[in-house]
Amino acid sequence: MSLADRLRAALAADHSPLLLPGDHFDFDPAVRGNPAAVLIAVTDRRVPGVILTQRTETLRRHAGQVAFPGGRIDPGDDGPVGAALREAQEEIALPPDIVDVVGVTDSYRTVTNYVVTPVIGVVPPDLRLTPSEAEVASVFEVPLDFLLDAANQREQVAEYQGRERHYYEILWQDRRIWGATAAMLVNLSRRLQWAV
């Protein structure tokens, strides 16, 4: 069974994991969030990895942070999948036609009121990816099993806008993966339940 097929089976499994809904639990459901999508690109190798980006320090929002390729869903996009593939092509020159789209998983609502839909796709290993100079400082890969290991997902607490905020972080070498990116990985690990 291929990696993509194993991921599809794991996402379709009948279980109800405890998922993180968003950065805050007191969102007013009547207030619509801004739709966005990210691509969780998993490399098809013996030890699968996940492609992540380090954002440039010059960006207005989330400068220097680790993130998945992705962004706002535009009117011309074919839903979250189309947006995630478009953004990955724009940000890291990942050709959409080489992504074996597995499916979408649980949305996550950010503190900036984006409702982010993660799109999971399998890509060939050792791709030549080119970061967009305006947005991406570097592209790197982290082993999937490291990211999914609950022992590496550390819950942290900080004060934000006068309130206590709980968030997750994952430390990989000299990189700090935290906030919404880490939360989506925590949700993915709970959803997959080591099925990969």
Side-chain angles (χ1 to χ4, degrees), residues 20 66 146-147 149-158 165-172 175-186:
L20 306 170
V66 171
F146 181 89
L147 295 170
D149 187 344
N152 298 322
Q153 302 164 356
R154 301 176 184 163
E155 188 171 4
Q156 304 291 345
V157 180
R165 176 183 173 200
H166 293 256
Y167 65 94
Y168 280 87
E169 73 175 5
I170 302 169
L171 303 178
W172 167 254
R175 313 275 186 169
R176 178 179 181 235
I177 306 161
W178 70 285
T181 301
M184 286 184 270
L185 287 166
V186 168

Side-chain angles (χ1 to χ4, degrees), residues 100-183:
D100 184 356
V101 175
V102 170
V104 300
T105 189
D106 309 282
S107 293
Y108 186 84
R109 193 164 186 166
T110 70
V111 71
T112 52
N113 201 33
Y114 280 89
V115 179
V116 183
T117 301
V119 175
I120 301 174
V122 175
V123 298
D126 306 315
L127 294 169
R128 288 189 169 276
L129 300 172
T130 306
S132 164
E133 287 183 24
E135 296 182 70
V136 179
S138 64
V139 181
F140 63 101
E141 187 176 331
V142 181
L144 178 63
D145 60 354
F146 181 89
L147 295 170
L148 299 184
D149 187 344
N152 298 322
Q153 302 164 356
R154 301 176 184 163
E155 188 171 4
Q156 304 291 345
V157 180
E159 189 170 313
Y160 178 76
Q161 296 182 343
R163 299 178 59 189
E164 191 175 87
R165 176 183 173 200
H166 293 256
Y167 65 94
Y168 280 87
E169 73 175 5
I170 302 169
L171 303 178
W172 167 254
Q173 298 177 348
D174 62 341
R175 313 275 186 169
R176 178 179 181 235
I177 306 161
W178 70 285
T181 301

